[in-house]
Amino acid sequence: MFHLILVSFALYACFPYATAAPGWPGSAYGGGLVKNVTVFVPPTEWPLRKTPYARTVLLNQDCEKDEVLLTTWAQQPPGNPYWYIYESKDHGRSWSEISKAYFHATSKSGGGRIEQPYFFELAKPVGKFPAGTILLTGNAIPADLQSTNIEVLASYDKGHSWEYVSTVAVGGAPNATNGATPVWEPFIMMYDNQIGVFYSDQRDPAHGQKLAHQTSTDLVHWGPVVDDVAYANYTLRPGMTTIAKMGNGKYIFSYELGFAPEDPINAPYAVHYRIADSPFEFQQATPYLLKSNDGKIPSSSPYTVWTPVGGPKGTIVMSDGSFAELFINKEYGDLDSWVTVKSGHGIGYSKALTVLPDQGESIIWLTNGGMYGFNDTIVTGGDFKVPGAPSREDTISACRGRGFTVN
Ligand SMILES: *[C@@H]1O[C@H](CO)[C@@H](O)[C@H](O)[C@H]1NC(C)=O
Ligand SMILES: *[C@@H]1O[C@H](CO)[C@@H](O)[C@H](O)[C@H]1NC(C)=O
Ligand SMILES: *[C@@H]1O[C@H](CO)[C@@H](O)[C@H](O)[C@H]1NC(C)=O
Ligand SMILES: *[C@@H]1O[C@H](CO)[C@@H](O)[C@H](O)[C@H]1NC(C)=O
């Protein structure tokens, strides 16, 4: 995570570590952890009041003065679909709407839906997009329900307005049966001066579903489809990519595996993971089933982050879609070192984890958009304190190299 420490030291100039800048008082945390805050409740007049797949981004790579969190989720308002962008400037204690994000394919058709958001803030300029630009990706499904479109939008003003940038991948109708040809579930990471958009892909006739990515150096032109996780067994459905860089410089890639053979009754979407030196080279890496110390196999929609606290090798923290608990690993993903820990939060589908700078990165913000397939859910959030992390009151600079965790 801090491999490019020299680069991050250079940034101290714009927001020195030692200065407790306005909006960053260590004492703001004096009140303790934020337990469970309601971020959004859909209006009662909406026919479908669903809020799954919530995502949060910490804005910190352009040396902002204040800690700013943005959150969005997949929702189905009536009419031309959009996502709300909600902002918090007080460590997640309160939230308010700052904008609506509309996607290209759905706005053209005036209906349909947008699914599976992911946010990313540029730590470095890419093409014409300066550092500090926020990218928002999602799967736009037009009103005719005949295609799936992984689009990238950009915001130059910290999420207050959005413009369409490009469409990375187009697939067939949103049909999750093997044999259909949609694309799903985008995720963004930067490496080696390239932006990678990772997604689930049913278009390859050799695989019911595989995980793949495409890269770009300008966010407009996208390279060929490169496999990340593609099983020889056609039936298997790896899905829901998330990737985290660890302190040893390696990357951990977590995914669910639909029709996983290991424990089909209890873990039909058993979480698997791979470890590699580059986020663009996972296909040759060994797949591991995640089985925790108490025998639990997390299942469905994993979300993985790494933080430098909690032990000499830091801590991997992973959420899944089946348990209220979280799964941690203090040995850089060693197969036998997963431990189940209480989260203080409920079960939810694809719960996002965001490492906060507060208390020396001991606090992870968990965002929960509710259960999969339910029509009446809300978005909640709260802190999770990494076990074994020192209870320091430090509040470190948001721009202290964090953006450079992604090379
Ligand atoms: C979904 O795809 C499968 C496989 O191609 C197909 O048999 C099925 O008819 C499709 N479902 C719908 C609703 O189109
Ligand atoms: C492929 O995976 C499915 C689902 O787990 C399993 O039933 C089947 O036996 C596997 N096929 C082979 C050839 O391993
Ligand atoms: C969080 O708060 C919401 C809304 O009050 C509630 O429905 C949910 O059960 C709470 N979750 C936990 C884990 O306490
Ligand atoms: C949610 O709403 C859809 C569309 O009205 C309906 O088909 C589905 O059964 C509902 N799901 C639940 C869990 O109520």
Side-chain angles (χ1 to χ4, degrees):
M1 179 166 206
F2 295 117
H3 272 232
L4 293 178
I5 200 87
L6 290 178
V7 179
S8 60
F9 269 103
L11 278 176
Y12 280 31
C14 65
F15 189 37
Y17 175 80
T19 306
W24 286 88
S27 60
Y29 250 105
L33 300 182
V34 182
K35 286 211 172 89
N36 180 10
V37 164
T38 298
V39 178
F40 176 72
V41 178
T44 46
E45 60 271 22
W46 288 8
L48 289 173
R49 306 173 73 244
K50 50 172 71 177
T51 57
Y53 214 102
R55 291 290 179 264
T56 296
V57 65
L58 172 70
L59 304 187
N60 53 22
Q61 296 174 17
D62 200 23
C63 298
E64 292 88 345
K65 280 197 168 159
D66 300 309
E67 178 180 307
V68 176
L69 293 168
L70 299 185
T71 290
T72 193
W73 52 88
Q75 63 183 19
Q76 280 181 252
N80 185 4
Y82 57 86
W83 287 337
Y84 280 127
I85 308 299
Y86 269 46
E87 178 193 71
S88 173
K89 289 187 160 176
D90 57 3
H91 306 251
R93 284 180 169 81
S94 64
W95 293 87
S96 53
E97 178 196 334
I98 58 165
S99 62
K100 294 175 179 169
Y102 289 86
F103 280 62
H104 185 64
T106 38
S107 291
K108 244 180 18 185
S109 74
R113 58 185 201 264
I114 327 162
E115 295 187 342
Q116 303 140 6
Y118 189 77
F119 277 127
F120 186 85
E121 190 185 24
L122 292 183
K124 296 179 178 182
V126 174
K128 67 167 185 164
F129 301 90
T133 302
I134 305 162
L135 306 182
L136 178 63
T137 183
N139 191 1
I141 300 165
D144 65 5
L145 305 183
Q146 290 309 303
S147 67
T148 40
N149 302 266
I150 292 184
E151 297 184 11
V152 174
L153 313 187
S155 174
Y156 297 106
D157 58 4
K158 302 299 168 192
H160 289 265
S161 65
W162 298 92
E163 66 173 46
Y164 168 77
V165 177
S166 60
T167 299
V168 182
V170 178
N175 174 346
T177 308
N178 283 348
T181 57
V183 290
W184 313 103
E185 300 155 357
F187 175 87
I188 301 178
M189 181 172 256
M190 190 170 182
Y191 176 76
D192 195 19
N193 293 312
Q194 297 173 76
I195 288 288
V197 171
F198 299 76
Y199 55 89
S200 309
D201 190 351
Q202 293 190 218
R203 296 170 303 178
D204 181 342
H207 307 280
Q209 179 169 287
K210 67 179 183 183
L211 299 175
H213 71 266
Q214 290 176 251
T215 61
S216 177
T217 52
D218 62 6
L219 297 174
V220 177
H221 303 94
W222 295 92
V225 178
V226 178
D227 291 356
D228 300 319
V229 174
Y231 282 88
N233 183 338
Y234 174 87
T235 307
L236 299 173
R237 291 177 57 83
M240 306 195 77
T241 300
T242 62
I243 305 171
K245 188 180 185 189
M246 303 187 287
N248 59 356
K250 293 187 186 291
Y251 292 79
I252 178 166
F253 184 121
S254 64
Y255 56 99
E256 64 177 32
L257 187 62
F259 301 108
E262 292 94 349
D263 185 358
I265 305 293
N266 300 307
Y269 292 87
V271 172
H272 290 67
Y273 66 101
R274 299 179 175 200
I275 291 170
D277 292 331
S278 155
F280 296 152
E281 290 167 17
F282 279 105
Q283 174 59 0
Q284 301 309 321
T286 309
Y288 300 109
L289 171 72
L290 197 163
K291 190 169 196 176
S292 199
N293 63 326
D294 57 356
K296 284 195 173 76
I297 298 175
S299 183
S300 141
S301 60
Y303 194 111
T304 301
V305 293
W306 181 85
T307 171
V309 303
K313 298 175 185 171
T315 307
I316 299 167
V317 182
M318 182 188 290
S319 69
D320 82 323
S322 302
F323 293 103
E325 291 91 343
L326 295 170
F327 300 89
I328 66 170
N329 188 309
K330 294 179 188 279
E331 294 293 337
Y332 290 139
D334 171 64
L335 189 56
D336 299 318
S337 303
W338 291 95
V339 176
T340 308
V341 295
K342 285 206 158 57
S343 70
H345 301 275
I347 302 178
Y349 175 65
S350 192
K351 292 174 292 190
L353 304 175
T354 308
V355 180
L356 299 183
D358 309 274
Q359 296 187 27
E361 302 182 89
S362 300
I363 308 295
I364 291 177
W365 179 259
L366 185 151
T367 316
N368 186 347
M371 300 295 281
Y372 184 75
F374 284 55
N375 292 331
D376 211 342
T377 55
I378 64 173
V379 182
T380 58
D383 289 331
F384 166 75
K385 170 120 194 209
V386 177
S391 44
R392 288 184 285 143
E393 286 299 312
D394 305 353
T395 294
I396 63 172
S397 158
C399 72
R400 180 178 162 263
R402 174 179 290 277
F404 299 89
T405 62
V406 291
N407 279 359

